[in-house]
Amino acid sequence: NFTSYTTPGSIYSYDMATGKSKLFWKPNVKFDSDRYITEQVFYTSKDGTRVPMFITHKKGMKLNGKNPTLLYAYGGFNISLTPSFNVNRIPFLENGGVYVVAISHRQQVHLKRKTRYSRWLKRRFADGCGHQPAS
């Protein structure tokens, strides 16, 4: 099975004798994935951790900060986000939207001490709840 931010889940068969794969099945989705691109970039978090981010948009689109953007990020419990296709994003992308996935779970993976992670987690929880954590 293969999927990406611009490719619906498709199943391939693999011939072990020849080492070749071929498309076995793909869903019938009215979406031209060749018109879109996903780029991986990195940004630096406040604590200096290099964090990967994936940006999906129409090819040739000028990313000038004025595009409607949907940002998705998750940063807890060592759960990895893997690329996935979602038909609900098609209208957004087709109308000039930019879909961004920040893989913020890497921040916690790279933290060096549990106390530092604990402070980071408290800040994230407080940010989500709209209040400051107790010291």
Side-chain angles (χ1 to χ4, degrees), residues 73 88 130:
N88 295 324

Side-chain angles (χ1 to χ4, degrees), residues 29-135:
V29 177
K30 293 182 180 183
F31 178 73
D32 184 3
S33 62
D34 290 335
R35 295 178 50 214
Y36 299 85
I37 187 168
T38 298
E39 302 170 292
Q40 182 179 16
V41 298
F42 291 86
Y43 68 94
T44 304
S45 68
K46 286 183 181 181
D47 68 359
T49 304
R50 193 167 177 236
V51 180
M53 185 166 57
F54 295 90
I55 304 172
T56 302
H57 57 87
K58 282 185 180 176
K59 288 180 180 174
M61 175 185 280
K62 185 176 182 182
L63 300 177
N64 57 13
K66 296 180 181 179
N67 312 93
T69 303
L70 177 61
L71 171 64
Y72 183 82
Y74 182 76
F77 311 107
N78 288 325
I79 296 173
S80 297
L81 294 176
T82 57
S84 64
F85 182 83
N86 187 325
V87 295
N88 295 324
R89 289 193 292 261
I90 293 174
F92 180 70
L93 292 170
E94 287 180 343
N95 287 288
V98 179
Y99 180 65
V100 179
V101 177
I103 311 297
S104 58
H105 78 279
R106 300 227 183 224
Q107 291 178 5
Q108 74 188 31
V109 172
H110 293 292
L111 292 175
K112 294 182 174 134
R113 298 187 319 240
K114 280 189 175 183
T115 55
R116 189 171 170 193
Y117 172 68
S118 178
R119 287 194 306 269
W120 177 86
L121 190 58
K122 278 184 184 179
R123 285 194 310 272
R124 293 302 169 266
F125 181 79
D127 289 347
C129 294
H131 63 79
Q132 294 298 320
S135 297

